[in-house]
Amino acid sequence: MIALACDHTGIELKKEIKKLLDSMNLAWKDFGTNEAGAGDDDYPIVGYRAAKAVADGECDRGIFICGTGIGIGIAAGKVKGIRVCTCSDVYSAELSKRHNNSNVLTMGARVVGSELAKMIATHWLTAEFEGGRHQRRIDMIAAIEDGQAL
Ligand code: RB5
């Protein structure tokens, strides 16, 4: 299950991402917002809500959108266990999965067009984590999260 979230800037792009996921037969759950001015259209609110669903296991990964992808990524990354990649190119998106096992992709609706966004999402969704030495480094990140010094 893929968690989807956006602020008021990302409503249209999120619709395109939904169509992409449907075409890939991937299930999604929308954590809002779906209306500018609805009260949940600030990126920290929806970013936190959807990131929590990923961290709690209700969803296994997420695609979140704001104007730049940055604000919603910062907010989501405050949730323990969330590894965010904010991407506007396919190389970073793919490597963020293969090396960093990113579990949330964020994109900027004011940065990337819908075709590029769908290409980025496709690379991210189909890439696989390589484990090995990369797992060791992710374990270090988890240790930082737990307040340990490296
Ligand atoms: C909203 O204007 C904008 O600041 C937001 O969508 C996002 O880009 C923040 O990082």
Side-chain angles (χ1 to χ4, degrees), residues 77-115:
K78 298 293 178 192
V79 177
K80 188 176 175 189
I82 296 300
R83 293 178 299 280
V84 177
C85 62
T86 299
C87 294
S88 50
D89 70 277
V90 294
Y91 179 82
S92 302
E94 185 175 322
L95 267 289
S96 80
K97 173 58 77 175
R98 286 169 51 189
H99 288 188
N100 315 115
N101 203 13
S102 58
N103 50 12
V104 169
L105 165 67
T106 72
M107 293 185 284
R110 293 171 173 165
V111 179
V112 292
S114 64
E115 291 307 312

Side-chain angles (χ1 to χ4, degrees), residues 109-132:
R110 293 171 173 165
V111 179
V112 292
S114 64
E115 291 307 312
L116 177 56
K118 287 189 281 185
M119 200 177 281
I120 291 167
T122 301
H123 277 254
W124 184 72
L125 289 162
T126 54
E128 290 191 8
F129 179 51
E130 293 173 8

Side-chain angles (χ1 to χ4, degrees), residues 7-9 43 66-68 70-71 110:
D7 73 357
H8 58 286
T9 68
Y43 61 79
C66 67
T68 58
I70 294 171
R110 293 171 173 165

